[in-house]
Amino acid sequence: MSSDAVKKRKPKVIRNEEGTPETKRGRAEGEQDVLVYHEEVELEGRDPQQDYLLYKDTCAALAKLMAEIQELKSSGAKVGSVEMEERRRQCSVHFITLKKLNRLAHMRLKKGRDQTHEAKQRVDVLHLQLQNLLYEVMHLQKEINKCLEFKSQHEEIELVSEEEFFQEAPAEISRPHVTRDDHHQLTLARLDWELEQRKRLAEQYKMSLARKEKIHKAIEQKREYLSSLQPGLQNIMQASLPVQECLSMPFEQMQKQAEVARHLPPPLYVLLVQAAAYGQACDKTLSASISGDVDEAKALSRPPEDSQDDESDSDAEEEQQNTKRRRATVGVQLDDKRKEMLRRHPLSLCVDLKCKDGSVLHLFFYYLMNLNILTVKTKVSTTTDLSGAVSAGELLNSESLLNCLYASDHGQETPNPTNRYQFDKVGITTFADYVSDLGHPYVWVQKLGGLQFSSDSELMGSALSASHMERTMKLLQGRLQARLALHKQFSSLEHSIIPVSGECQHLFPAKVVSGLTRWTMMSYQEFTELGFVQHVLKAGLLRETDLFFMAVVERGTARLLAAVVVNPRYPEVMPLFSLSLHWKGERSGRTEDNLRAMESEVNVFRAELQGPRPGFQLLTNQIQRLCVCLDVYLEMESQVCDGSEGPKEFPREKMCLRTARGPSRLKPFKYNHPQGFFSHR
Amino acid sequence: MFISLQLLHMSVFSQSFSPCGRFLAAGNNYGEIAVFSLSAALSPDASQASQKPILNFTAHDGPVFSLLSTDTHLLSAGNGEISAWSWAELIKKVRVSCSVNFINLILIVGGGDNNIHIMDMETGIFKSVLKGHTDYIHCLCFKEREEEILSGGEDGAVRIWDSRTNRPVHCIEVFKYEECARPQFGKWISCLATDSDWMLCGGGPSLSLWHLRSMSPTSVFPLPGCQREAVFYQDLIMSVGEGPHVSHCLHGGTVKAQIPCTPSSLNTLALNLKNTEHRVMTVGGSSHQIDVFTNFSYKAFSLSF
């Protein structure tokens, strides 16, 4: 029934307790509730268990009736008989009961559902309320937390500690009676105090700033005033120059030099300082000065950033230019690189050493920047004219003057081992090629500049320079004096006069007949080609840096050739003589024992021959002794060699005890003074 | 540098082997005596250092002209004094002091005073003097069989003395014999050697071999320079002198060989016959090097001062 269904639906939606259509109708008709039949009421009164039993019974009765009907029908009773009708009626009654029971069951179910539904609704409402409350709780908790976490700005302010606060703050701010108990008040009070203090300090700060400004201005004014004084001072300095010279206190010069010296490279600076110090302390004749281009030196020491900027600009320009120009050849590039590597610092040092006789040794020191070595060039200026000795040409040659100042210090190769790698890069094989241009890099020059390239000593820098300064200067002076003495001696040797000084006369007899006839210089090549010097070569007593000379001593028909090796360090090292005699045949120190003895007489006895200090007479004494020995040799020839009995060419004039001694029958070459006779050693 | 200068001008004047034959002592013109170890120098693993002296000391002021070895001592003669050094100490490389300790030895000394002195080594007293030479004496040798002393000197005479009676027996003036005389050099005799009846002498006159019974020269050796030392060895005669070689000569008078050596002229030759292991000949002269010959036909190596 659709209308029933609709009606049934409506009560479900409205959720009335009255669910049945009858009751609904009953309500709609008016309020006759008391008389309306409520099946629900009846339902409450019935026991479901009984209803179930009733159902079972009814079903059983129905089944029984059905069976009876069946029986009747099978037994052939007529349809519509009374028994059958009776039974049918009973069945219908039972059916009605069943229907009622069914209805009741449905109604019970519905009721149960409605109750459950209701209960659920209630629970839902409560649940919702619970949720609302929980949500509120949470919200409140969050708020509380937020409040608790709140950091007020005041906590960031560093406040003075409480004790300090109570001590320092005045009572009106600190209000101890209140604040001691109440933390909030205490904090407020402290903040107040802080604020006051800060205000006060801000005031002070402003005042200090103002004062500073004032002082600044005052300084500026004074500075201007001072700078205005500068020209005036300059004038005074200029005016005082003559006074300085007069009093020989060259302050301005020294100042200027000090100013320029600031731009010197470190080794030259060390050298300058040490040389000046040495000059002041020990040797008043030594003077040191700086020469060269100061501006260039300043340019070198400018900071690199400026030059880099400049470089990048100029590079850009250059590139444009280069594309137009032809690119330089590889050789030229290499040449440029070499020139760059061998560049000298624009400033150089000049040290003058004066000797007693007035001659001066000028030393020019240069610093090669990329190679980090010092080099030296020399010049000698003498008071007297030094011309006239051909053989002495090499003596004062500035290239070789300072050779071997210390043993084996040739100054041909750079002493800095790192230069080897630098040279390889630009293709320089030996530094010797550039020495005449750039100066000699002697080891002592490096030491004077404080540059230490070997691991010999621990000293560096100024200490190294100071430790070598005195000795080197003395050696330099000695070298110059020795060379000058030799120069003088050579000029008289070339005139065949052996200049024997008065103090050395006692070494020789009064009469010396053999005389020097020639004194010439030889080159290393010529010297090594001589036959009678090979033993010296073999013994390793020759160096290319030595000076070589040939002396010829003659008497009658006898001619003695003496090849002399003079070490650059003369007179520390004795000159070495090798002899060859041309007299009735050729003999040399190698073939004849007596000539060998003569060589030994001249070469070995330094203590006798060197004469008074500083021993510049050594060479001339050796030559004189050579002449004396030749005299002895020729006179002591016992027999005329060719067998004839004629008069001997050289009559014996020398006194001696024995003419021959020893298995080699040596002649007496040793001269005894003052008795004047000759004996064997 | 000074040391190499000294070495350049050094001459070796005398040599002597130790009694055991393993060491060589050499004296030079600076008065130094150097002791070399032959066993080290001759060993198969000898190096440069083993050719240097094991000991080098200054013995005299002047040159050391003569060295002589007894059984225990080395005697060195300088310019007027004779010193004795103990070989035991020398071998131990101890810087020795002069010591004399001999038994039953006599030393015959020929000196610059033209006389021969005979000294008793034990007491150190000169027992007797043999006078006869008119000029100083260069060389001496001793004939053991007849106990005769031979001496040669500057006066050109070789005198033979009887050592028991100390009297002269013979006098040979070598320069008077035409076959030997070389007037261009002089008449002095600088080397003497004897071997039973034979005598070698040379110097100014040529080196000549004499038969002592007949007192006449049997052969004269045509060596150019003046010979300074000569020895008999087996059937050879070896002599050194002016010229950088050792001459091997035969008794007949021929020069068999001339072996070159380093010094330009030689002063001394010594044969080490006491020790069969180190049988060497050493020569020294105008050089700081002493040549050592293991096989007498060629130079093996040089010792150096």
Side-chain angles (χ1 to χ4, degrees):
Chain A
M1 305 270 177
S2 60
S3 55
D4 282 1
V6 169
K7 282 173 192 161
K8 272 186 191 153
R9 249 190 269 129
K10 271 193 189 163
K12 277 186 186 157
V13 169
I14 295 174
R15 297 182 180 248
N16 267 342
E17 283 193 352
E18 302 111 345
T20 59
E22 288 96 328
T23 51
K24 181 70 175 137
R25 225 181 278 134
R27 251 250 211 113
E29 284 171 2
E31 275 130 24
Q32 294 175 354
D33 300 68
V34 188
L35 300 172
V36 175
Y37 167 67
H38 283 203
E39 215 167 7
E40 283 87 8
V41 177
E42 191 192 338
L43 184 66
E44 283 159 22
R46 290 171 74 110
D47 178 21
Q49 202 64 11
Q50 272 186 346
D51 279 343
Y52 180 59
L53 286 172
L54 181 59
Y55 161 71
K56 269 186 141 171
D57 287 336
T58 318
C59 281
L62 248 178
K64 197 173 101 187
L65 280 170
M66 285 292 159
E68 282 173 9
I69 293 175
Q70 172 74 18
E71 254 184 62
L72 285 175
K73 274 198 178 173
S74 60
S75 63
K78 322 193 248 214
V79 178
S81 72
V82 177
E83 285 107 2
M84 274 179 72
E85 281 303 314
E86 172 104 33
R87 285 184 177 85
R88 213 195 285 146
R89 254 186 276 135
Q90 280 177 359
C91 281
S92 315
V93 171
H94 286 315
F95 272 124
I96 290 168
T97 319
L98 283 178
K99 273 179 95 169
K100 180 164 175 102
L101 286 176
N102 183 37
R103 208 165 49 237
L104 287 180
H106 277 298
M107 279 166 60
R108 271 201 198 101
L109 188 64
K110 188 162 167 249
K111 195 170 163 198
R113 278 202 181 133
D114 284 345
Q115 278 177 348
T116 319
H117 194 68
E118 227 173 285
K120 257 196 195 171
Q121 280 211 352
R122 258 184 278 129
V123 166
D124 276 346
V125 166
L126 288 175
H127 197 68
L128 203 62
Q129 279 181 346
L130 175 66
Q131 293 284 21
N132 283 345
L133 285 173
L134 279 179
Y135 181 72
E136 212 168 315
V137 163
M138 202 173 67
H139 181 75
L140 285 174
Q141 281 227 304
K142 269 199 198 155
E143 292 288 308
I144 291 170
N145 279 343
K146 246 203 274 186
C147 283
L148 284 177
E149 280 173 15
F150 173 68
K151 275 191 159 65
S152 90
Q153 269 195 340
H154 87 274
E155 289 183 20
E156 286 165 18
I157 304 173
E158 281 176 26
L159 300 172
V160 296
S161 67
E162 285 189 31
E163 299 86 28
E164 258 189 75
F165 166 68
F166 279 122
Q167 275 169 20
E168 286 178 3
E172 66 225 19
I173 297 183
S174 67
R175 288 174 285 137
H177 50 279
V178 172
T179 53
R180 288 221 187 257
D181 305 324
D182 191 355
H183 190 72
H184 173 71
Q185 291 296 329
L186 175 66
T187 319
L188 283 176
R190 284 167 79 182
L191 287 169
D192 279 335
W193 172 236
E194 191 69 24
L195 180 66
E196 272 219 30
Q197 278 197 312
R198 284 193 186 197
K199 276 194 204 150
R200 209 166 8 105
L201 289 173
E203 280 294 323
Q204 276 183 357
Y205 173 67
K206 252 189 266 174
M207 277 179 6
S208 311
L209 219 67
R211 236 183 312 134
K212 182 177 144 201
E213 277 303 318
K214 259 193 280 176
I215 294 174
H216 223 62
K217 281 203 192 87
I219 290 174
E220 277 306 316
Q221 273 180 348
K222 291 200 177 133
R223 262 211 199 118
E224 275 176 37
Y225 177 62
L226 278 175
S227 51
S228 72
L229 283 181
Q230 174 84 329
L233 283 175
Q234 286 282 43
N235 290 341
I236 295 175
M237 294 258 286
Q238 287 291 89
S240 74
L241 266 178
V243 179
Q244 279 180 28
E245 271 174 40
C246 196
L247 295 174
S248 62
M249 288 196 295
F251 282 129
E252 186 170 342
Q253 240 187 10
M254 287 185 351
Q255 233 193 0
K256 269 210 204 117
Q257 207 181 55
E259 172 61 36
V260 177
R262 280 197 315 162
H263 298 286
L264 279 177
L268 281 181
Y269 185 76
V270 169
L271 183 52
L272 173 68
V273 167
Q274 292 299 324
Y278 175 75
Q280 272 191 339
C282 308
D283 184 8
K284 295 279 185 284
T285 57
L286 188 151
S287 68
S289 59
I290 310 175
S291 55
D293 195 348
V294 185
D295 293 325
E296 259 192 70
K298 284 192 195 151
L300 278 176
S301 59
R302 216 183 283 146
E305 297 120 27
D306 297 351
S307 54
Q308 266 178 15
D309 288 341
D310 289 339
E311 261 180 44
S312 55
D313 289 344
S314 59
D315 273 346
E317 285 175 25
E318 259 187 53
E319 273 177 32
Q320 289 177 5
Q321 282 180 351
N322 270 344
T323 50
K324 293 178 190 163
R325 250 188 269 143
R326 217 167 14 115
R327 197 185 285 179
T329 58
V330 177
V332 174
Q333 277 180 346
L334 203 59
D335 225 17
D336 290 337
K337 276 197 216 156
R338 268 193 221 134
K339 278 205 198 99
E340 179 60 36
M341 173 142 302
L342 297 172
R343 207 149 74 103
R344 287 212 280 233
H345 194 272
L347 293 176
S348 66
L349 207 55
C350 174
V351 176
D352 294 332
L353 282 170
K354 290 197 191 58
C355 296
K356 288 197 197 88
D357 61 348
S359 42
V360 184
L361 177 68
H362 302 281
L363 295 166
F364 302 97
F365 293 97
Y366 302 99
Y367 178 61
L368 300 181
M369 297 185 291
N370 294 319
L371 300 179
N372 193 30
I373 51 173
L374 289 170
T375 61
V376 67
K377 278 192 174 177
T378 59
K379 199 172 83 125
V380 177
S381 56
T382 50
T383 49
T384 56
D385 183 23
L386 280 184
S387 61
V390 174
S391 57
E394 275 298 310
L395 282 183
L396 294 172
N397 183 357
S398 57
E399 288 284 310
S400 60
L401 177 61
L402 295 181
N403 253 352
C404 298
L405 197 66
Y406 291 88
S408 66
D409 187 1
H410 302 296
Q412 294 296 322
E413 273 304 324
T414 156
N416 186 356
T418 58
N419 296 153
R420 182 76 259 141
Y421 303 105
Q422 291 170 298
F423 286 168
D424 284 342
K425 268 197 266 184
V426 296
I428 298 176
T429 39
T430 60
F431 190 65
D433 303 332
Y434 301 93
V435 156
S436 46
D437 231 5
L438 298 171
H440 293 264
Y442 293 112
V443 176
W444 55 267
V445 176
Q446 318 305 323
K447 291 214 173 118
L448 285 185
L451 295 168
Q452 174 70 276
F453 293 119
S454 63
S455 48
D456 281 344
S457 75
E458 303 273 322
L459 301 171
M460 284 283 289
S462 299
L464 181 64
S465 176
S467 64
H468 279 80
M469 178 64 70
E470 182 165 3
R471 182 143 178 259
T472 311
M473 289 301 159
K474 289 222 159 55
L475 280 175
L476 284 167
Q477 276 181 328
R479 170 65 62 97
L480 179 66
Q481 282 172 329
R483 292 288 169 100
L484 288 174
L486 272 182
H487 204 103
K488 253 197 293 180
Q489 288 167 354
F490 282 9
S491 43
S492 65
L493 284 177
E494 282 184 0
H495 289 106
S496 307
I497 304 167
I498 306 176
V500 178
S501 74
E503 302 110 348
C504 306
Q505 280 297 343
H506 67 274
L507 292 169
F508 314 108
K511 184 172 169 204
V512 179
V513 185
S514 311
L516 180 70
T517 53
R518 199 152 65 105
W519 174 261
T520 47
M521 213 185 88
M522 296 203 316
S523 70
Y524 177 69
Q525 280 305 109
E526 289 167 10
F527 191 83
T528 46
E529 280 162 16
L530 289 173
F532 53 94
V533 305
Q534 299 306 316
H535 63 289
V536 179
L537 261 177
K538 259 193 268 176
L541 293 167
L542 269 190
R543 296 262 183 288
E544 253 195 70
T545 46
D546 295 337
L547 303 163
F548 305 99
F549 301 94
M550 175 71 85
V552 179
V553 179
E554 285 184 17
R555 180 177 170 174
T557 53
R559 204 158 155 266
L560 180 68
L561 295 168
V564 189
V565 179
V566 177
N567 192 293
R569 278 163 64 215
Y570 173 88
E572 272 173 45
V573 178
M574 277 187 86
L576 197 59
F577 283 70
S578 313
L579 302 176
S580 160
L581 180 64
H582 293 258
W583 181 56
K584 299 193 165 81
E586 185 174 335
R587 323 162 199 196
S588 79
R590 311 285 66 68
T591 53
E592 170 140 350
D593 284 324
N594 273 309
L595 279 177
R596 191 160 176 262
M598 274 167 71
E599 281 178 1
S600 126
E601 187 72 22
V602 170
N603 285 338
V604 175
F605 301 99
R606 190 209 168 87
E608 293 172 13
L609 287 171
Q610 84 177 354
R613 289 198 71 209
F616 296 147
Q617 303 296 321
L618 187 56
L619 185 64
T620 47
N621 285 348
Q622 279 181 306
I623 299 173
Q624 184 75 330
R625 180 167 273 191
L626 189 62
C627 297
V628 172
C629 288
L630 182 64
D631 273 348
V632 171
Y633 180 89
L634 293 170
E635 288 172 17
M636 302 290 177
E637 274 294 290
S638 48
Q639 232 86 333
V640 181
C641 285
D642 53 9
S644 64
E645 295 290 332
K648 288 203 279 192
E649 187 181 349
F650 305 107
R652 179 178 308 176
E653 287 167 2
K654 306 264 186 287
M655 276 202 298
C656 62
L657 299 174
R658 282 166 69 157
T659 51
R661 190 185 76 164
S664 39
R665 305 186 66 76
L666 296 176
K667 302 196 163 122
F669 290 115
K670 178 177 168 194
Y671 177 70
N672 297 331
H673 180 85
Q675 302 89 348
F677 69 95
F678 285 85
S679 62
H680 292 87
R681 279 211 181 259
Chain B
M1 181 118 175
F2 183 64
I3 304 221
S4 46
L5 199 65
Q6 267 197 326
L7 286 179
L8 202 63
H9 294 101
M10 192 181 285
S11 300
V12 173
F13 283 130
S14 50
Q15 296 173 88
S16 181
F17 287 100
S18 65
C20 55
R22 295 201 323 266
F23 296 90
L24 172 69
N28 71 5
N29 61 328
Y30 296 119
E32 293 169 349
I33 296 180
V35 179
F36 297 88
S37 163
L38 278 177
S39 31
L42 289 170
S43 71
D45 53 347
S47 64
Q48 197 75 2
S50 47
Q51 287 163 3
K52 289 273 170 191
I54 57 172
L55 177 64
N56 190 339
F57 62 97
T58 309
H60 296 277
D61 285 331
V64 179
F65 281 123
S66 174
L67 281 177
L68 186 67
S69 271
T70 64
D71 289 334
T72 50
H73 283 74
L74 176 71
L75 299 169
S76 64
N79 221 0
E81 78 251 4
I82 303 174
S83 307
W85 317 87
S86 156
W87 265 116
E89 283 180 33
L90 288 177
I91 291 171
K92 277 191 268 169
K93 295 191 239 174
V94 171
R95 181 37 182 109
V96 294
S97 53
C98 223
S99 68
V100 186
N101 189 8
F102 305 97
I103 305 173
N104 279 342
L105 281 179
I106 56 165
L107 178 70
I108 307 166
V109 181
D113 62 349
N114 311 346
N115 297 326
I116 302 172
H117 302 266
I118 301 180
M119 180 172 94
D120 183 1
M121 299 290 303
E122 202 172 338
T123 55
I125 307 173
F126 282 102
K127 285 198 318 193
S128 47
V129 177
L130 304 172
K131 292 188 203 274
H133 279 279
T134 51
D135 215 340
Y136 35 87
I137 298 164
H138 282 305
C139 43
L140 285 175
C141 63
F142 192 67
K143 266 171 72 171
E144 277 134 11
R145 228 181 33 184
E146 290 101 358
E147 300 219 359
E148 283 177 351
I149 301 168
L150 287 91
S151 61
E154 183 75 13
D155 57 359
V158 175
R159 286 177 193 273
I160 305 175
W161 316 77
D162 186 317
S163 62
R164 283 165 295 200
T165 57
N166 293 336
R167 287 190 162 279
V169 175
H170 287 292
C171 171
I172 308 169
E173 286 181 324
V174 182
F175 63 96
K176 294 220 170 116
Y177 289 80
E178 262 188 57
E179 53 263 344
C180 320
R182 290 192 296 196
Q184 70 269 30
F185 286 121
K187 55 183 180 175
W188 36 273
I189 304 290
S190 58
C191 67
L192 266 185
T194 53
D195 182 26
S196 59
D197 287 331
W198 300 94
M199 177 186 81
L200 269 178
C201 66
S206 321
L207 185 69
S208 45
L209 184 65
W210 291 66
H211 189 232
L212 283 174
R213 289 204 193 284
S214 54
M215 291 294 159
S216 61
T218 47
S219 26
V220 176
F221 300 98
L223 293 167
C226 301
Q227 299 310 303
R228 296 177 190 160
E229 190 149 347
V231 290
F232 284 98
Y233 177 66
Q234 294 172 351
D235 53 352
L236 280 179
I237 290 165
M238 295 203 259
S239 90
V240 292
E242 284 176 1
H245 42 252
V246 178
S247 311
H248 290 215
C249 312
L250 297 169
H251 283 232
T254 47
V255 176
K256 183 176 139 199
Q258 293 200 305
I259 321 290
C261 27
T262 5
S264 54
S265 65
L266 294 162
N267 292 329
T268 161
L269 176 142
L271 283 171
N272 192 9
L273 299 168
K274 294 176 209 164
N275 189 326
T276 47
E277 270 176 28
H278 305 311
R279 185 183 290 267
V280 295
M281 174 170 77
T282 55
V283 295
S286 314
S287 161
H288 63 99
Q289 286 179 315
I290 300 172
D291 284 347
V292 178
F293 295 72
T294 42
N295 174 335
F296 295 170
S297 309
Y298 57 84
K299 177 192 104 167
F301 57 90
S302 302
L303 299 167
S304 167
F305 255 79

